[in-house]
Each structure stands twice: as structure tokens, then as C-alpha cells.
Amino acid sequence: MSTLARAKHQAKAHPLALDAILALAVLVCMVAGSFVEPRHRDSVNWVLRTPDLLSLLLMTLGATALVFRRRAPMAVLALTGTLSVIESVTGDPRAPVAMSAVIALYTVASTTDRPTTWRVGLLTMTVLTGAAMAAGPLPWYAQENLGIFAWTGIGATAGDAVRSRRAFVQAIRERAERAERTREEEARRRVAEERLRIARDLHDVVAHHIALVNVQAGVAAHVMDKRPDQAKEALAHVRDAGRSALNELRATVGLLRQSGDPEAPTEPAPGLDRLDELIGTFRSAGLHVEVARADQGTTLPAAVDLAAYRIIQEALTNVQKHAGPQAKAEVSVVRVGPNIEITVLDDGSGENEIQDSGGGHGLLGMRERVSALRGTLTTGPRYGGGFRVHAILPLKNRAPTGEDPA
């Protein structure tokens, strides 16, 4: 810490001691000024003189009052102003007692607001200057009387300037602190959103491939003795599903690496351009799936493309797990105006309904994805059996009209 910074710190820590030093310095200046009398004729001459005891007492009282200028600025100003008026009326020659009033006025101006500074400053200037002009021993137009007017105005103006600068610096500091808090909150929010997105992706990847592995493993166990060729084919599907799961997990978890990591994955997130590949994995697991698309030529934003892919993946995974072995599924992707609509239907036994009542995270993940894009999601059992998942995803972000549904 530098010497200047250390001195400022000690001054802030001991304001009363600093004011005592200031009061002593003001007293020395007033006493020194009281021993000199200017004579204005053809030239300016300085004549030594001896101040009277009343002037010395008034100067001492005025300087002593400045010790308490921070604790009671208005009271100190009233006291020093009264002492200055007494000296202006009785002093001949006059001692510079008004210096203490100027310091007190500066303190009031630097610690209050501007309207108070105007009122108190004008009152002090009027009283001190008027008393000196009207009742003092000097003519009303004397330079000493005009000097009182000028010095009180300078004290009020300087105090107001210091107060304004202090308020400006404080406002900048508060704005910087508020901006820092806002940045921290925004960073925490983004981290939470990223964790939620990665958790959704991990759930979708794991649930999809584990469901396929479970189905194919069950088939292999069922036909192992009687039809080994079919069991071998089922195990090959298990191996392919496991390899795909590992690849997707590696790509998803790789997002947590630093951006400068040369081993970070560069493969783009899956989208509807890989829908045929996704449907093929379910068909190889024995699920009958029909696809209808009416979105040709539509370029989807990356977030919408990924959400559509994951919604179809999760819906078909639920069909695979809950709709029964003979269930059939229908997938449709349709462009309707400014939206893309995703529909997944099945004609299963209805056990998929437990997913909508909190039995799993599949539908919850769908809702979070759709809400993040300000779309709508409708899920529920179909009349006559089966389940329906219908999502409407806007191709452009809608302007928020209230609270974010996410």
C-alpha cells in the first residue's frame, strides 16, 4: 500500500483526529491573519498589529467548533456564523473569524442535498455579509465585506461539487456491483440450463438404447435353444445398440470438456435428418413404425431440430417399453404455417398412461424441451386404446408475453 493510500485509510478510520488537525490549522491561519492589517492607498502595505482578546477568543471558539463539524454540521455552522457576526460588528480591525464559518458551510454543503445547500448557503451569505455591511466599522462597500460574500459562496459551491462527485462515484460503484451480481446470476442460470439440457439428452440416449437392448436380449434368451440363428441376430442388434449408446454418450458427455480440448467431439447434434436411422433401430427391435412427413424443404433451427428428434425418440421408447409387444406406432412430421408439428400415436394396451402421472421422466423431459422453445405439448391416452404425443414447435422464438413457461 502506498503512503498516500495509507494516509487516506487512516483518515477514514479516525475522522475526529483529522478534524482536530484541520481545526488547529484553521486556528493558526486565523491567528496569523489577525496580526496583519492591509492598508490600501497608492499601494498595498501590510502593517503588523495585535488582535484584541475578544477576537482571539472568537477565533479559538470557531476553530474548536470545527472539531465536531461531521457530527453536527448544522449546529457548527450556526455557532461559527454567530461568532463571525460578532467579530464583524465588534472587531476593529477585523479578525478572520469568518474562515471557520466558511469551513462549516463547506461541510454542510458536502453532506446534504443541493436544495439544502442553496437555502443554507444563501442564508449564511446574506447574514454574514449584511451584518458586516450594516453594523461593521468599515464602509459597506469595503473590500473586506465583499470578501466575506465571495468566500461563503466559494465554500458552498466547493462543498456541493464534492458531494456531487461523491454521489457520482457511489452510483458508479453500485452500478458495477449490480452488474457483477447480474453477471453471476446469469452465469448460474446458464449453468443450470446447460445441466438440465445435458441431463435430458443423457436420459433420452440411455432410455432409448437400454430399451432396445432389453427387447433384443429378451428375444435372444427366448429363442436361444430352438433358433440359434435368430438369437445370434438379436445379439448382433444388442451389440449395435450398445455401440450407438456409447457413441452418443461420448458425444453428449464430451460437451462438458473445455472448448480448447482437441478431443472434444465435433459431430453435430442429431436432428430429423437422422429420423430414418432412428426409426430403423426401433424396427430392428421388432416395433412396427410408420412414418409420414410433410416438412420437405423446411430448414429447422438447431434447437428445434434436436427437440423434434428427441421427442420422437422418447415417445417411441415409451411405446417400446409400455405399449405391449404387438403395438404399432405412427409418426408424423408436418409443417403447419410458422410451426412444425410432431405426432406419435400407438395402439398399445394403455400402460403408457403411467408415464403421464409422474411414473417416469420421459414426458417431463419432453415438456421441458417444448417449454424451452415456447411451444406446446399435449399427451394422453387415445379413445379406444393407445397413447398420443403431440408437440407444436415454433420455427422462430416468440416474443415473451409474460412469465416464461419453462
Side-chain angles (χ1 to χ4, degrees):
M1 183 182 296
S2 63
T3 304
L4 181 60
R6 188 182 299 108
K8 290 182 178 180
H9 177 72
Q10 292 177 354
K12 291 181 179 180
H14 306 283
L16 188 62
L18 179 64
D19 290 338
I21 296 174
L22 175 64
L24 180 60
V26 171
L27 178 61
V28 172
C29 292
M30 289 191 297
V31 171
S34 66
F35 279 91
V36 179
E37 178 184 2
R39 294 284 180 87
H40 300 279
R41 290 178 182 164
D42 296 337
S43 61
V44 178
N45 297 320
W46 299 90
V47 179
L48 293 177
R49 63 183 175 85
T50 301
D52 54 23
L53 293 179
L54 179 60
S55 296
L56 290 175
L57 177 62
L58 293 176
M59 287 186 289
T60 303
L61 291 176
T64 303
L66 294 179
V67 178
F68 308 98
R69 67 188 185 96
R70 297 178 192 265
R71 296 185 178 182
M74 287 292 186
V76 171
L77 176 60
L79 176 59
T80 54
T82 302
L83 298 176
S84 300
V85 169
I86 295 174
E87 176 62 20
S88 298
V89 174
T90 61
D92 187 19
R94 187 181 300 162
V97 180
M99 181 182 294
S100 61
V102 171
I103 301 297
L105 179 59
Y106 164 84
T107 304
V108 171
S110 63
T111 55
T112 58
D113 53 9
R114 181 161 294 172
T116 303
T117 299
W118 274 95
R119 290 193 296 268
V120 175
L122 289 176
L123 178 62
T124 304
M125 292 168 60
T126 302
V127 171
L128 295 186
T129 306
M133 290 182 174
L138 299 176
W140 67 271
Y141 54 84
Q143 184 176 358
E144 286 80 358
N145 296 337
L146 298 178
I148 294 176
F149 179 84
W151 281 109
T152 51
I154 291 174
T157 303
D160 183 72
V162 170
R163 179 198 56 78
S164 299
R165 181 182 181 279
R166 188 184 300 123
F168 177 72
V169 172
Q170 181 65 23
I172 292 178
R173 184 180 294 110
E174 291 177 354
R175 190 181 301 115
E177 293 176 353
R178 186 164 55 252
E180 183 66 23
R181 289 194 300 269
T182 302
R183 283 194 296 267
E184 293 176 357
E185 293 173 357
E186 179 66 14
R188 287 194 294 267
R189 185 186 66 81
R190 290 182 179 274
V191 168
E193 290 180 351
E194 184 66 13
R195 287 177 176 173
L196 180 60
R197 187 188 65 79
I198 293 175
R200 286 197 300 259
D201 285 345
L202 287 174
H203 171 269
D204 293 342
V205 170
V206 173
H208 165 60
H209 291 288
I210 292 302
L212 296 182
V213 168
N214 183 50
V215 171
Q216 295 295 343
V219 172
H222 182 69
V223 300
M224 180 66 72
D225 296 331
K226 298 181 180 179
R227 287 175 286 178
D229 293 339
Q230 188 174 353
K232 184 177 180 180
E233 182 181 355
L235 292 176
H237 288 310
V238 170
R239 182 184 61 225
D240 294 339
R243 184 183 298 113
S244 299
L246 289 176
N247 291 335
E248 290 202 37
L249 285 174
R250 186 180 299 111
T252 303
V253 177
L255 295 175
L256 299 175
R257 297 175 180 169
Q258 296 181 358
S259 59
D261 189 347
E263 297 182 0
T266 59
E267 182 181 358
L272 292 181
D273 57 337
R274 296 175 55 182
L275 181 59
D276 293 338
E277 178 183 346
L278 176 65
I279 298 299
T281 61
F282 284 102
R283 286 172 176 168
S284 64
L287 179 64
H288 181 75
V289 184
E290 295 182 1
V291 180
R293 298 189 63 172
D295 62 329
Q296 288 75 11
T298 301
T299 301
L300 301 181
V304 176
D305 202 17
L306 175 61
Y309 179 89
R310 293 303 189 194
I311 289 171
I312 295 174
Q313 183 185 50
E314 180 60 33
L316 291 179
T317 300
N318 286 341
V319 174
Q320 184 78 47
K321 292 191 297 184
H322 304 288
Q326 304 299 324
K328 297 180 181 179
E330 299 177 6
V331 177
S332 67
V333 181
V334 181
R335 168 72 182 272
V336 181
N339 303 320
I340 191 80
E341 296 191 10
I342 309 296
T343 306
V344 180
L345 307 174
D346 71 80
D347 58 355
S349 60
E351 296 177 1
N352 200 13
E353 297 177 14
I354 62 173
Q355 295 298 312
D356 195 37
S357 61
H361 299 285
L363 297 184
L364 177 61
M366 292 186 200
R367 290 194 180 94
E368 290 172 348
R369 288 185 185 278
V370 174
S371 297
L373 298 173
R374 302 187 184 278
T376 58
L377 177 70
T378 305
T379 62
R382 298 172 62 192
Y383 179 77
F387 203 78
R388 178 178 181 269
V389 174
H390 180 68
I392 301 177
L393 305 177
L395 299 181
K396 295 183 179 180
N397 291 334
R398 300 173 183 171
T401 58
E403 184 179 357
D404 190 345

